[in-house]
Amino acid sequence: MAKLWAGRFQKETDRTVNDFNSSVMFDSRMYEEDITGSMAHAAMLGKQGIISMEDAEAIRAGLTGLLTEIREGRIRFTPEEYEDIHMANEQLLTERIGDSGKRLHTARSRNDQVALDMRLYVRKEIGEIRRLALAFMEELCILAEQHMETVMPGYTHLQRAQPITLAHHLMAYANMLRRDVVRLENCREGLDELPLGSGALAGTTYPIDREFVAEQLGFSRVMDNSLDGVSDRDYCI
């Protein structure tokens, strides 16, 4: 298994230690976001002349092929082989295209890479959860219209209280879902900032173009502060 900290030990670490340190069984769900972010980063590196256009194109082609392999189930991520999805993708890319793959990490830290992947993943999930919530609301409204005069007991303090209609009961849940949708939309707005370019915590000396990457990945703006960029998780609440 590739480890950032392997040089500190002379022998292979125990499997229990590998399992404890590895997050690939959890963060492998972000494989598509990690690859998408890396493609945009590589395109920017090539455009800015930080790496050659030949290397940038080799990285793009390699990542495209890697994405296909993962989607088709030809690659499995296990703690024995990989520490996290970010190192896994970089290792697999380098195995396929050689030293060009190592240049992908130029002007990027694991910190801002992870911050980007999480925002892309949460943004995607918000869209899906919002879609499901709206579909559920629609079904509740349809059912409520069919039971405008269906009487049922209303409850308070676990006891039967005033009579209500089934429509009234169903629409209570529709209103709860409506508030959830609003919270999801607020969350979506809050994460609409690109953290990439923050580096480990204080940016990079390379002449990167953050606005280009933001446009490529569909972000409205870049984050103002690099420390906030790598530490912010408010949108996950």
Side-chain angles (χ1 to χ4, degrees):
M1 177 174 66
K3 308 181 187 72
L4 289 173
W5 39 267
R8 295 178 179 271
F9 301 96
Q10 295 180 347
K11 298 180 179 179
E12 175 63 32
T13 51
D14 187 89
R15 179 176 178 177
T16 303
V17 176
N18 292 339
D19 290 344
F20 179 79
N21 282 299
S22 175
S23 62
V24 75
M25 298 304 293
F26 303 97
D27 58 31
S28 58
R29 72 187 67 184
M30 297 192 296
Y31 73 87
E32 187 163 352
E33 287 72 28
D34 190 73
I35 291 175
T36 300
S38 292
M39 285 181 172
H41 182 67
M44 181 276 294
L45 293 176
K47 182 183 79 71
Q48 294 295 101
I50 299 172
I51 65 174
S52 68
M53 290 301 296
E54 290 77 13
D55 280 339
E57 177 55 31
I59 290 171
R60 185 201 65 79
L63 288 172
T64 300
L66 182 58
L67 183 59
T68 299
E69 289 184 59
I70 298 173
R71 285 173 173 170
E72 293 178 351
R74 288 187 276 156
I75 295 175
R76 294 180 65 249
F77 299 106
T78 63
E80 291 76 26
E81 295 181 272
Y82 307 109
E83 186 169 338
D84 59 41
I85 188 60
H86 324 290
M87 291 184 66
N89 282 337
E90 191 171 323
Q91 178 182 326
L92 289 165
L93 174 67
T94 303
E95 290 173 358
R96 283 156 175 74
I97 69 172
D99 286 343
S100 294
K102 298 178 182 179
R103 300 186 178 98
L104 173 61
H105 206 58
T106 306
R108 185 174 69 170
S109 165
R110 192 72 68 215
N111 292 1
D112 58 353
Q113 182 181 355
V114 171
L116 171 64
D117 291 359
M118 288 186 65
R119 284 173 181 264
L120 290 172
Y121 180 78
V122 173
R123 184 176 70 181
K124 178 185 71 176
E125 291 301 303
I126 283 175
E128 177 62 10
I129 294 171
R130 181 181 181 276
R131 183 189 67 79
L132 292 172
L134 290 172
F136 188 19
M137 285 174 60
E138 183 177 359
E139 292 301 317
L140 287 172
C141 291
I142 292 172
L143 192 58
E145 286 184 337
Q146 298 171 3
H147 292 279
M148 298 287 287
E149 298 183 6
T150 303
V151 179
M152 64 171 283
Y155 282 77
T156 179
H157 296 82
L158 303 179
Q159 299 182 44
R160 291 185 177 185
Q162 295 168 285
I164 60 173
T165 63
L166 178 55
H168 195 167
H169 178 74
L170 293 171
M171 291 306 295
Y173 289 96
N175 277 276
M176 296 175 202
L177 285 165
R178 178 177 55 82
R179 290 193 296 274
D180 288 336
V181 169
V182 171
R183 279 191 284 268
L184 287 168
E185 291 171 346
N186 289 338
C187 180
R188 172 67 175 79
E189 169 61 23
L191 64 77
D192 194 19
E193 297 179 306
L194 176 78
L196 203 62
S198 297
L201 77 164
T204 175
T205 57
Y206 285 99
I208 61 175
D209 186 344
R210 299 181 71 203
E211 284 73 18
F212 172 83
V213 179
E215 182 179 352
Q216 293 290 303
L217 296 175
F219 287 97
S220 297
R221 53 195 179 276
V222 299
M223 298 195 74
D224 294 330
N225 185 283
S226 60
L227 289 173
D228 183 43
V230 295
S231 62
D232 172 39
R233 299 293 186 270
D234 291 345
Y235 57 86
C236 292
I237 297 176

